[in-house]
Every structure is written in C-alpha cells, then in structure tokens.
Amino acid sequence: MNKNNDVVSSFIYGVASSAFQIEGATAIDGRVDSIWDTFCQKEGAILNGDNADVTCDYYHLWERDLELLKNLGVDAYRFSIAWPRVVTSLDGDVNNEGLDFYQQIIDRLHYYSIKPYVTLYHWDLPQYLEDQGGWLNRDVVTAFVYYASVVSDYFGDQVASYATLNEPWCSAMLGYLHGIHAPGFQNRRQALQVGHHLLLAHGKAMPVLRQNAPNASHGIVLNLSPYDAGSDKQDDVLAAKLADEENNQWFLQPLLEAKYPQVIIDKYPECMPKMRAGDMEAITAPLDFIGINYYTRQRIFCDESNDVFGYRSEIPEDSEVTAMGWEVYPEGLFNLISELNERYQLPPLLITENGMAADDEYDEVQINDSVRVSYLREHLYVVKRLIEKGIDLRGYFAWSLMDNFEWAEGFDKRFGLYYVDYETQERIPKLSAYFYKDYIEKTKGQ
Ligand code: IFM
C-alpha cells in the first residue's frame, strides 16, 4: 500500500455536535444550570426567546440518534460532555448519573466501531462558577482541571480523543467583547483576561488528560478564519493584519510559541491579561492535535468609525452566503492552513467542524439541501488538496449531525445533515446526509 492509500484509510470522517445544543433535559438527573441556561432567560438574548430546555431531546433519544451515525458510516463522533451534568457544586460533587449518561453513549459507539471524540468544554460553564466570577476568576482554572480529571479518570482510554476547549475565541470574544454569547459582556480587557484563563485551563489540564488516558490523543479546538485585506490600500492591509492577530494569532501563538502577539500588546496595553510566572509554559503543553473549525473567511477594511475594532468585515457583492450571512469560501480553508503551516511548527490537524446553515424545507417527501451538498463537496475537495500538499491533516467532521439550538440564533438556523422536526422530534435525512454517507463509502473504498 502506498503512503496515499495509508492516508486515505486512516483518515477520520465524522460528524460533530455539542451537549447544550442537543441534549435538553436541563433540569433532571442531577444536572445543574449553566451560564447558557441563565443567558436564555435574559430578555432579547436569544432570537424568538428560544431556549435549550428540550432542543433535540437527545438525552432521551440518544439511541436513535447514534443509529443515524451508524447509518452514515462515520469513523468518529465528536460530542461534548456537559460540565454541569458531571461536577455539580463548588465543592466538587460528582454526579454519577451524568457520567452514566455518557458511558452508555461511549459503549454504544464502541459497539458500532465509532470512535468517541470528546470535547470537555463547549461553552456550558456551570452557573455556580459564574457566580464566583466565572472565567474572569483565576480559580476557574483549578475547577476546570478538576473536571477534566474526573472525566478522564472515569473514561480513560475508552475515549479516542479529548479536546479541552471548543473555540475559546467564542467564549472570550463573543461572551465578553461582542456581548452576544453568555455571559454577555462588552469589555476588551475582560475578554483578554478570560482568553488567558481559558488557555491556562487548557494547558494545565493537558498533563492530567495524558496521565489518565495515555493512549488517547489530546488537543484543543479553535475557530479560525483567514482575514483577507479588502483592497491593496495600506490601511486595509494593516487592518486585516490586526484582525488576524487579534482573532487567530491571539489564541495560536501562546499555544505554539508561548507568547501573545506583540501587535496586540502594543495596540491595547491597558487590556493585557494579568498572568503569573509559569503561565505561558503551561499553555504551551505539547499538543497531539489542533482542531480547526472552519466556516468562512473575513474580508477586512480599515474603518475608523468603528471605535471597538477600527475595522469592518464586508462580504464581496454577488458572493454566495449561508443562512447565517456567512460567505461561502472554500478556498479560505486552503489559504488558512497553508499560511499557518508556513508560520508555525504545527501538530497534526483535524477539521473538527465545517458546515453551513441553510433554509431547509421539508415538503413531506424530502429535504433538498443541494446548497449544503455543494458546500460540503467543495470543502472536502480542499481537504484532499491540503493532504496532497503534504499537510498532516488527520480528519474531517461535518457540523452538525442534526439541526440544533444555534446559540443566540435559537432554532432559526439549521446546520444539520438530519432535519429535526422540533414538534415531533422526528429526524429526517437531508440530501446532504445521503451525500456524506456516499462520499465516505466511496473514499474509504478506494
Ligand atoms: O453551532 C456552532 C458550534 O457550537 C460551534 N461552532 C460553530 C457552530 C455554528 O455556528
């Protein structure tokens, strides 16, 4: 077998989901509130006043949903564990019912020969920690490491891969600068402090995960986008560079080079996070992988009228956009990873999320989401090109298994390969589910 065949057969195809977005059952079997349960109560925070109390009711319907995975023929399932189901008090009480819930899922995945890819933190911080200051309070780092130790001690190598955090940019920037995610603040100094605590929590959890699950692979998941200059004008080029440093490199550089980007330190000296000796060394704990969530690119213009950022992002006219209003730009994935590969010594990479929201309609016969089929096909083609270029890319996960609670957008946006009828909890395969199944079958069969 030649090297290319090896890559094809070991490459992981999967789908991804997250606890808060699909589970529901927020108030039973010992689960306590998370910051998102609280945020959903806030007037105007979530479109149409939606909440995730029930969402896809996966907590009760998981067996049926895991059958969907089996039917798709995926190699792996990326899902998150709900911290507020597992550690339920400030004193560190462990809720066995919470652990049992995930144990059944892991057992069933093994039975189906599907690898469990676990994310420990997909934004559902227990509210009891938020009441102590949440990610702004350095003590949260100890709480996260404890939670990571409970989970990894219990499941150990039954889990193929542990990711500490999903998209710390969102927790820090959407939660504390843009104010549109829980807990909903707008303050750059706080956002950067939260970012530091998130990275520190990740770095300090890594050795614990390695010790408890020595055969699993361990890493972190970042959402990254290329920040292209909107024109050749020097102002736009500089603005794009700034946006890249603030949004991408602010998370990558500490993880890979033990420092924060100098451009941002110079630009916002008053916002720099408080840190202690040894923090940066902890953050650069060796990584088995970085997961990249890729959806779109940003096209940046200098804009001094924007007093928070000094730039704005604009989609080129006539571009195809998703129901989220995000530009469809598969080439951005190629450019992003190629540039990162030139700039850093990267660990192996995974595409841990990729997909689009569309205005899917069920006409009682089918859901013809041909736009999503094209989106997936084009991005999978980029994945193939990146591998051919020699990038150590080990897997691809479509976002998402099924429609779910899309955070501030509530149930208005549908990202799933399976359509969810929230009235009946029926799951209906979209055309994209058939496409993905077929793609995996054909690619693996090569
Ligand atoms: O639904 C989210 C997911 O929770 C994190 N990454 C982006 C997805 C689409 O917005």
Side-chain angles (χ1 to χ4, degrees), residues 9 25 211 224 259 276 302 324 376 393-395 435 440:
S9 62
Q211 176 153 13
L224 302 173
K259 56 184 176 200
R276 296 188 191 158
C302 175
M324 293 291 278
L376 294 175
L393 191 49
R394 306 259 175 111
F435 160 77
I440 297 172

Side-chain angles (χ1 to χ4, degrees), residues 21 122-123 166-167 293 295 326 353 399 406-407 415:
Q21 292 179 273
H122 199 123
W123 309 352
N166 180 68
E167 303 181 351
N293 293 352
Y295 289 90
W326 297 346
E353 285 180 28
W399 183 269
E406 177 55 24
W407 308 108
F415 274 89

Side-chain angles (χ1 to χ4, degrees), residues 54 56 73 76 87 94 98 102 112 137 159 223 233 253 262 269 282 329 374 378 387 417:
V54 179
C56 308
V87 181
V94 173
Y102 297 106
Y112 289 153
N137 178 345
V159 165
N223 54 311
K233 286 194 207 139
Q253 208 175 0
Q262 194 57 45
Y329 195 68
S374 308
E378 286 166 22
I387 295 170
L417 300 180

